[in-house]
């Protein structure tokens, strides 16, 4: 067993456990996007950052990939952690505003503005679908392609893969395209925040920088302020 | 026929995990790019999933999934080259060849690609054409580079390159001169040898310029195979003294002025060669 301290509480976990598992065992909430039980950890979304070490040596690490160490002192919600997490969420929101999961997280972390150039990607490259396809569906039909700003997820040569069984696992697990996958007809989607029957976020042109699907809805707050 | 090439390549290569990049490099050398059907065959035969192969092939800039032209022009746009006007040089290439970076001319002669650093920053702006480095390139020099490429970059210019000089060699066994002034390579008498491979025998001529790799032969042999070299006068095999520093194949030795030796690798396609200036005893 390994003994470590999380937010001042002593906890002992089995060897091989990650900081994330130890913190969740104690009940400390750590938000994650790219982590799923049953899939190997990737450390891609960086939302699960926690602070370890003391003084000069204090650093931020992704708790989903960092194995628990003897005597480790972990802070899951220090000022630095929250600041980093807010920045990550803001960036995620800038790339994938349509995702309800990201919007809810952003709302929970009191993000009320969008300082970055708004894009409307439908992928945050968390790799959940790639791992789902490989580890749970044993298919390896999709994978990462390219590098840098051209990095994308898809099938080789952009053609229907021979090994894909149309299981839909990749769509099921995706945190970014939830709207598309959960509601086959977008007009039936109801905003969680303001129960708007014609949510502006479905049409990209109408969307601008309003955040729909948030609790509370930032779009409504922006309108109120005006 | 092309698939047979791939099969022999795969049979020869150990496809353990972690060897994927070297195999892809070999395929790229063989075809000039990575054809889709070859990658699919590779995936079937080796057990690497197509997703992984495609991921690696698209990750590295060195690999191309599109056919490339006969000549590959790499224009460096790294920081040091950029501040010396590499952008304008790239534009000049694009304008003269009528294509954008990453594209191939319709006659399949040229492909332009931009790279982010070639590691030769002091020589910048740098342009590499088919492995030949051009340093301190200016916009005015671009047309010259294209013309030189069309003429052939492998032609040896002995007047301007001091590293290249002619050598007079003789057989290490019978000490007769191997130079043949009736057949010129690079404008100099060629080194006349006989070559045997797979039961076939024929003449084989090397350039007598040290530093030139031009050669001519009566029959072509497949790359990466070993052959033996014989003296055309005494018909004896040229003595093999040492191993090639590049591929460990035996090297055939010839004498210069009866004193020092020059050795060439006997593997086709290998450019391994050595000059030994110390007087050594060659026992017959």
């Amino acid at each position: 067993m390994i003994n470590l301290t999380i937010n001042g509480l002593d906890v002992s976990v089995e060897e091989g456990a990650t900081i994330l598992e130890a913190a969740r065992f104690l009940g400390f909430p750590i938000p994650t996007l790219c982590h799923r039980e049953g899939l190997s950890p990737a450390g891609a979304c960086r939302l699960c950052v926690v602070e370890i070490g003391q003084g000069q040596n204090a650093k931020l690490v992704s708790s989903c990939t960092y194995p628990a160490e003897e005597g480790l002192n972990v802070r899951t919600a220090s000022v630095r952690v929250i600041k980093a997490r807010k920045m990550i969420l803001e960036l995620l929101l800038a790339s994938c505003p349509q995702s309800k999961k990201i919007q809810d997280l952003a709302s929970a972390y009191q993000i009320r503005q969008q300082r970055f150039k708004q894009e409307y990607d439908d992928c945050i490259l968390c790799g959940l679908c790639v791992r789902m396809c490989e580890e749970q569906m044993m298919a390896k039909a999709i994978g990462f392609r390219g590098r840098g700003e051209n990095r994308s997820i898809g099938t080789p040569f952009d053609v229907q893969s021979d090994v894909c069984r149309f299981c839909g696992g990749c769509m099921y697990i995706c945190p970014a395209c939830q709207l598309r996958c959960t509601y086959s007809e977008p007009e039936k989607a109801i905003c969680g925040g303001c129960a708007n029957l014609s949510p502006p976020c479905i049409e990209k042109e109408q969307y601008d920088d309003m955040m729909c699907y948030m609790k509370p809805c930032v779009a409504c707050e922006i309108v109120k302020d005006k | 026929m092309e698939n047979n090439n791939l099969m022999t390549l795969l049979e020869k290569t150990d496809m353990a995990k972690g060897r994927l990049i070297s195999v892809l490099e070999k395929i790229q050398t063989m075809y000039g790019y990575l054809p889709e059907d070859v990658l699919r065959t590779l995936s079937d035969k080796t057990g690497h999933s197509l997703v992984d192969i495609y991921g690696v092939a698209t990750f590295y800039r060195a690999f191309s999934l599109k056919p490339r032209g006969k000549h590959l022009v790499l224009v460096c746009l790294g920081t040091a080259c950029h501040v010396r006007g590499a952008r304008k040089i790239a534009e000049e290439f694009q304008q003269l060849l009528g294509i954008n970076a990453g594209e191939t001319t319709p006659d399949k002669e040229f492909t332009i690609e931009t790279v982010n650093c070639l590691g030769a920053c002091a020589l910048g702006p740098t342009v590499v054409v088919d492995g030949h480095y051009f340093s301190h390139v200016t916009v005015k020099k671009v047309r010259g580079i294209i013309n030189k490429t069309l003429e052939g970059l492998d032609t040896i210019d002995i007047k301007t390159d001091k590293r290249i000089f002619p050598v007079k060699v003789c057989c290490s066994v019978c000490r007769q001169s191997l130079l043949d002034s009736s057949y010129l390579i690079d404008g100099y008498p060629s080194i006349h040898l006989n070559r045997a491979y797979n039961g076939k025998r024929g003449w084989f001529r090397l350039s007598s310029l040290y530093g030139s790799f031009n050669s001519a032969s009566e029959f072509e042999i497949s790359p990466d195979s070993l052959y033996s070299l014989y003296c055309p006068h005494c018909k004896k095999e040229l003595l093999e003294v040492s191993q090639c520093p590049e591929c460990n194949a035996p090297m055939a030795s010839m004498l210069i002025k009866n004193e020092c030796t020059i050795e060439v690798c006997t593997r086709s396609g290998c450019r391994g060669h050595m000059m030994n200036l110390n007087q050594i005893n060659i026992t017959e």
Side-chain angles (χ1 to χ4, degrees):
Chain A
M1 297 293 268
I2 293 166
N3 300 303
L4 67 158
T5 322
I6 300 180
N7 292 352
L9 285 179
D10 293 326
V11 63
S12 53
V13 289
E14 276 178 32
E15 204 154 319
T18 60
I19 296 179
L20 180 70
E21 283 160 359
R24 290 207 165 150
F25 174 75
L26 280 179
F28 291 117
I30 295 179
T32 54
L33 266 180
C34 74
H35 181 267
R36 205 46 98 87
E37 266 177 41
L39 298 179
S40 59
C45 72
R46 314 309 289 181
L47 264 184
C48 63
V49 284
V50 293
E51 196 177 6
I52 59 166
Q54 292 297 335
Q56 285 268 309
N57 296 325
K59 58 176 180 180
L60 294 175
V61 294
S62 60
S63 61
C64 68
T65 52
Y66 202 95
E69 284 170 2
E70 187 68 38
L72 207 61
N73 185 350
V74 183
R75 281 88 69 200
T76 67
S78 65
V79 175
R80 192 176 166 197
V81 168
I82 299 293
K83 201 180 161 199
R85 234 175 245 167
K86 281 177 97 162
M87 175 62 91
I88 293 161
L89 274 169
E90 220 174 307
L91 287 165
L92 286 172
L93 211 50
S95 61
C96 279
Q98 325 58 340
S99 159
K100 175 157 168 57
K101 245 176 213 169
I102 297 173
Q103 288 172 8
D104 285 350
L105 277 168
S107 182
Y109 275 82
Q110 308 291 318
I111 293 165
R112 290 290 176 270
Q113 58 171 341
Q114 169 70 281
R115 288 174 296 172
F116 303 104
K117 185 172 163 270
Q118 187 65 65
E119 283 165 10
Y120 298 97
D121 295 338
D122 47 15
C123 183
I124 55 167
L125 298 171
C126 66
L128 265 181
C129 51
V130 176
R131 279 174 282 147
M132 181 78 169
C133 192
E134 179 182 346
E135 293 167 18
Q136 291 295 331
M137 299 305 168
M138 310 298 168
K140 279 200 140 184
I142 52 173
F144 284 101
R145 310 170 304 178
R147 176 171 59 165
E149 60 171 0
N150 298 321
R151 198 150 172 82
S152 66
I153 291 176
T155 56
F157 302 104
D158 271 324
V159 291
Q160 176 62 53
S161 171
D162 302 335
V163 285
C164 176
R165 298 191 299 270
F166 302 99
C167 67
C170 48
M171 293 203 296
Y172 166 77
I173 206 159
C174 181
C177 65
Q178 211 186 19
L179 174 73
R180 283 187 312 179
C181 310
T182 316
Y183 308 102
S184 53
E185 297 161 80
E187 58 273 17
K188 288 191 179 160
I190 298 173
C191 176
C194 55
N196 189 349
L197 281 170
S198 54
C201 50
I202 291 165
E203 294 294 328
K204 285 183 178 178
E205 294 76 35
Q206 300 173 14
Y207 197 85
D208 288 336
D209 56 353
M210 287 190 289
M211 300 299 142
C212 194
Y213 286 99
M214 273 194 182
K215 293 184 218 170
C217 179
V218 176
C220 299
E221 284 191 5
I222 293 169
V223 172
K224 251 187 263 169
D225 288 347
K226 281 177 185 169
Chain B
M1 169 229 141
E2 288 189 330
N3 261 339
N4 285 342
N5 273 347
L6 179 67
M7 289 305 138
T8 43
L9 170 71
L10 291 184
E11 273 165 27
K12 266 196 268 177
T13 320
D14 171 21
M15 279 304 291
K17 210 173 177 191
R19 298 279 167 85
L20 182 59
I21 290 181
S22 64
V23 174
L24 289 178
E25 276 176 344
K26 281 180 185 160
I27 295 174
Q28 170 116 345
T29 335
M30 202 184 274
Y31 297 91
Y33 72 111
L34 300 174
E36 181 177 342
D37 52 336
V38 171
L39 292 191
R40 286 185 188 278
T41 326
L42 181 72
S43 155
D44 288 346
K45 297 290 167 195
T46 59
H48 281 93
S49 68
L50 189 61
V51 164
D52 291 346
I53 296 174
Y54 190 80
V56 171
T58 52
F59 186 88
Y60 293 102
R61 285 285 297 275
F63 295 125
S64 166
L65 291 166
K66 281 186 290 181
R68 279 174 169 170
K70 224 159 82 188
H71 306 291
L72 177 63
V73 180
L74 297 174
V75 185
C76 181
L77 292 183
T79 315
C81 293
H82 182 87
V83 295
R84 293 174 185 158
R87 171 67 59 191
K88 280 193 174 150
I89 290 159
E91 276 166 14
E92 182 76 6
F93 267 109
Q94 292 172 7
Q95 205 172 11
L96 286 178
L97 297 172
I99 49 170
N100 287 324
E103 290 176 356
T104 304
T105 48
D107 57 2
K108 298 268 184 282
E109 279 289 327
F110 285 96
T111 300
I112 307 178
E113 280 194 7
T114 58
V115 289
N116 291 330
C117 189
L118 290 162
C121 303
L123 302 175
T126 325
V127 170
V128 178
V129 184
D130 297 342
H132 293 256
Y133 280 68
F134 292 90
S135 58
H136 305 296
V137 179
T138 55
V139 174
K140 280 181 187 165
K141 285 186 188 169
V142 169
R143 181 165 286 286
I145 292 175
I146 294 174
N147 290 340
K148 196 164 180 220
T149 309
L150 286 172
E151 282 168 19
L153 288 163
D154 283 317
T155 48
I156 301 293
D157 192 357
I158 190 167
K159 288 192 190 81
T160 55
D161 199 337
K162 283 180 185 159
R163 293 167 302 175
I164 295 168
F165 51 88
V167 287
K168 285 179 183 166
V169 292
C170 61
C171 167
S172 51
V173 183
C174 66
R175 311 280 162 111
Q176 288 190 62
S177 172
L178 292 170
L179 291 183
D180 180 6
S181 44
S182 63
Y183 193 106
L184 301 180
I185 296 180
D186 297 326
Y188 281 81
S190 60
I191 301 173
H192 183 196
L193 298 165
N194 281 340
R195 181 161 76 165
Y197 169 69
N198 231 351
K200 263 169 102 178
R201 267 172 178 263
W203 57 260
F204 180 58
R205 284 177 165 88
L206 290 164
S207 169
S208 62
L209 294 185
Y210 189 80
S212 163
F213 298 99
N214 293 328
S215 65
S217 58
E218 193 172 340
F219 61 91
E220 288 295 317
I221 62 177
S222 55
D224 213 20
S225 43
L226 294 175
Y227 51 81
S228 10
L229 292 174
Y230 297 87
C231 168
H233 308 295
C234 63
K235 315 287 181 211
K236 293 224 170 90
E237 184 168 1
L238 294 178
L239 289 173
E240 283 160 4
V241 181
S242 40
Q243 284 189 325
C244 173
E246 309 214 346
C247 68
N248 287 331
M251 297 181 90
S253 64
M254 291 166 274
L255 283 182
I256 305 175
K257 289 184 178 172
N258 286 337
E259 279 175 359
C260 51
T261 56
I262 186 160
E263 297 179 57
V264 290
C265 180
T266 57
R267 188 189 294 276
S268 57
C270 179
R271 289 182 160 193
H273 62 281
M274 291 196 283
M275 188 185 264
N276 194 346
L277 294 173
N278 296 324
Q279 190 171 6
I280 53 163
N281 278 328
I282 295 178
T283 46
E284 283 181 21

